[in-house]
């Protein structure tokens, strides 16, 4: 396993996933600016927001809901399913249907449910059936141009919604926060891009620690959704097993599950704790004590500290680090990080079973 063999990287990475990761700061900045320009009704009296999406589109919604929890005076929920929750009714509910391709069947079903329930709606996509149906029903459509995988468009799925929330008056102006996040992300890249050797590259070193191990990512507050992002990237890029947990909830159940089985399981696991200066002080203490408890049971652990001066920078520098780490793990396992044949096979099986 040589994570400094760039020729091997080029041979494995046939569709240039590393280019997508390198471009993530610019994508986020572009998406935010694009969202400030798209057509949007001057809606008032919105009482709740439901964001319907799956996979890479839903993770952007998770990140937004987490970020807005301390900023928006209304509930923001993420719906990963068909239909809508029963409470999503009438014009006081804004339903945002987000689908990278525009053809996600669950999200299309949510659009129809929102239309029948009389909700206000916005569609976010690159085109497809979602754009077509929204256009036929005079629903605002926020399109963006991205040819890659949905998971590589997380800057769009978050940045567009951030601008939308700002324009609707649901959160304060985010220009300074975005600027700080972009500067912090690009500064972070100086230490973790592919040309930085493993001896000086923490993302490569962490990937090396994950080889041959089931990975658990633990975050709190803003970084709970980031932990979920890390889990998904390890699954889809490295084709490797991972799960995520969050504090303080993990201290009410997960912490008790560190004893059995007593064989050699612990040698084949790794738990990474995500930390940020914006963490609640008690959650930071919990994270430290939980990690200590895991280590006392012989479990492998490590932690990653967010960079930047604002909560948005803390979120996005950690996302960026996780994307690079998952990419290097794919290289270590010798797999192409872009294809997701297992997911395509499953989708085909669903279509054939109609």
């Amino acid at each position: 396993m040589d994570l400094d063999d760039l020729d091997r990287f080029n041979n494995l990475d046939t569709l240039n996933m590393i280019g997508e990761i390198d471009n993530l700061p610019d994508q986020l900045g572009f998406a935010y600016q694009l969202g400030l320009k798209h057509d949007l009704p001057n809606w008032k009296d919105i009482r709740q927001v439901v964001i319907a999406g799956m996979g890479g589109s839903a993770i952007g919604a998770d990140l937004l809901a987490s970020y807005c929890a301390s900023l928006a005076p209304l509930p923001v929920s993420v719906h990963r399913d068909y239909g809508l929750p029963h409470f999503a009714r009438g014009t006081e509910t804004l339903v945002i249907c987000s689908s990278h391709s525009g053809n996600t069947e669950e999200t299309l079903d949510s659009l129809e449910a929102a239309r029948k329930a009389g909700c206000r709606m916005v569609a976010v996509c690159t085109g497809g059936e979602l754009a077509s149906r929204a256009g036929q029903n005079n629903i605002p459509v926020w399109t963006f141009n991205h040819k890659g995988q949905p998971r590589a468009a997380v800057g769009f799925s978050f940045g567009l919604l951030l601008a939308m929330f700002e324009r609707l008056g649901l959160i304060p102006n985010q220009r300074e926060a975005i600027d700080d996040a972009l500067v912090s992300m690009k500064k972070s890249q100086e230490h973790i891009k592919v040309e930085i050797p493993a001896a000086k590259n923490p993302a490569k070193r962490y990937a090396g620690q994950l080889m041959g191990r089931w990975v658990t990512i633990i975050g709190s507050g803003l970084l709970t959704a980031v932990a979920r992002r890390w889990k998904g990237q390890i699954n889809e890029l490295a084709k490797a097993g991972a799960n995520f947990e969050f504090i303080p909830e993990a201290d009410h159940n997960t912490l008790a599950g560190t004893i059995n089985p007593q064989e050699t399981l612990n040698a084949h696991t790794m738990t990474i704790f995500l930390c940020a200066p914006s963490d609640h002080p008690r959650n930071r203490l919990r994270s430290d004590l939980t990690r200590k408890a895991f280590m006392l049971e012989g479990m492998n652990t490590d932690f990653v500290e967010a960079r930047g001066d604002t909560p948005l920078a803390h979120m996005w520098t950690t996302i960026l680090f996780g994307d690079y780490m998952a990419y290097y793990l794919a290289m270590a396992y010798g797999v192409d990080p872009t294809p997701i044949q297992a997911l395509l096979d499953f989708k085909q099986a669903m279509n054939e079973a109609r």
Side-chain angles (χ1 to χ4, degrees):
M1 178 187 66
D2 182 1
L3 291 180
D4 294 330
D5 186 349
L6 302 191
D7 289 335
R8 184 169 180 268
F9 282 24
N10 290 334
N11 291 332
L12 288 171
D13 186 9
T14 62
L15 296 174
N16 194 31
M17 178 59 75
I18 193 59
E20 297 271 23
I21 297 172
D22 286 343
N23 188 57
L24 186 54
D26 289 338
Q27 182 190 108
L28 175 61
F30 177 80
Y32 174 73
Q33 293 298 327
L34 181 62
L36 296 177
K37 300 173 184 176
H38 269 309
D39 291 336
L40 185 67
N42 186 28
W43 284 323
K44 304 294 182 183
D45 301 323
I46 295 172
R47 304 295 184 192
Q48 56 198 8
V49 180
V50 178
I51 308 172
M54 303 296 300
S57 299
I59 194 63
D62 284 327
L63 295 165
L64 182 85
S66 179
Y67 181 65
C68 290
S70 63
L71 298 174
L74 77 174
V76 180
S77 59
V78 181
H79 184 70
R80 284 180 166 85
D81 207 340
Y82 298 90
L84 283 175
H86 187 68
F87 68 78
R89 294 288 184 274
T91 57
E92 68 180 14
T93 302
L94 171 61
V95 176
I96 303 169
C97 294
S98 179
S99 167
H100 184 274
S101 66
N103 297 316
T104 308
E105 66 172 80
E106 299 95 331
T107 310
L108 290 171
D109 193 68
S110 294
L111 179 78
E112 294 305 314
R115 191 169 62 83
K116 293 175 182 177
C119 301
R120 290 167 172 161
M121 291 170 281
V122 177
V124 179
C125 56
T126 61
E129 183 66 17
L130 181 59
S132 177
R133 292 190 193 181
Q136 292 169 9
N137 289 279
N138 297 315
I139 298 168
V141 182
W142 282 27
T143 58
F144 60 95
N145 183 28
H146 183 261
K147 302 299 184 183
Q149 292 288 326
R151 62 187 182 274
V154 67
F156 282 111
S157 61
F158 176 88
L160 287 168
L161 300 188
L162 184 72
M164 185 187 301
F165 271 50
E166 177 185 318
R167 290 176 60 192
L168 289 171
L170 304 180
I171 58 174
N173 187 289
Q174 294 297 301
R175 291 177 188 271
E176 290 186 6
I178 278 284
D179 288 344
D180 178 65
L182 298 182
V183 169
S184 298
M185 290 171 78
K186 291 181 178 181
K187 187 174 181 181
S188 178
Q189 282 181 315
E190 296 173 2
H191 307 281
I192 57 179
K193 294 184 77 171
V194 291
E195 59 267 24
I196 307 301
K200 298 181 179 179
N201 189 325
K204 288 183 179 180
R205 294 201 303 273
Y206 275 79
Q209 293 185 68
L210 303 189
M211 279 289 292
R213 291 169 169 166
W214 182 278
V215 185
T216 300
I217 312 298
I218 299 183
S220 69
L222 282 175
L223 300 189
T224 296
V226 178
R228 185 170 197 156
R229 167 71 175 182
W230 278 43
K231 177 262 183 192
Q233 289 294 81
I234 292 171
N235 293 157
E236 295 192 57
L237 270 65
K239 286 57 176 185
N243 65 289
F244 79 99
E245 301 276 356
F246 61 96
I247 286 173
E249 177 64 20
D251 294 331
H252 295 267
N253 38 65
T254 307
L255 188 58
T258 59
I259 298 175
N260 293 311
Q262 296 183 357
E263 288 74 26
T264 58
L265 177 65
N266 287 348
H268 299 286
T269 67
M270 169 61 76
T271 303
I272 298 180
F273 292 79
L274 306 183
C275 307
S278 51
D279 289 341
H280 189 288
R282 296 292 290 177
N283 279 339
R284 185 56 179 258
L285 176 60
R286 285 178 176 273
S287 180
D288 293 342
L289 292 176
T290 304
R291 184 181 173 218
K292 180 179 179 180
F294 277 27
M295 289 190 292
L296 288 174
E297 293 298 335
M299 300 177 69
N300 301 300
T301 74
D302 213 326
F303 70 97
V304 172
E305 189 77 39
R307 293 172 173 261
D309 297 325
T310 62
L312 194 63
H314 300 160
M315 172 180 279
W316 279 90
T317 56
T318 316
I319 291 170
L320 187 64
F321 188 99
D323 280 14
Y324 277 107
M325 185 197 68
Y327 178 85
Y328 297 139
L329 184 59
M331 297 298 99
Y333 278 127
V335 297
D336 189 333
T338 301
I340 42 173
Q341 194 59 45
L343 305 189
L344 297 177
D345 290 346
F346 184 82
K347 185 180 292 186
Q348 180 64 31
M350 287 290 293
N351 288 335
E352 292 174 353
R354 287 183 185 276

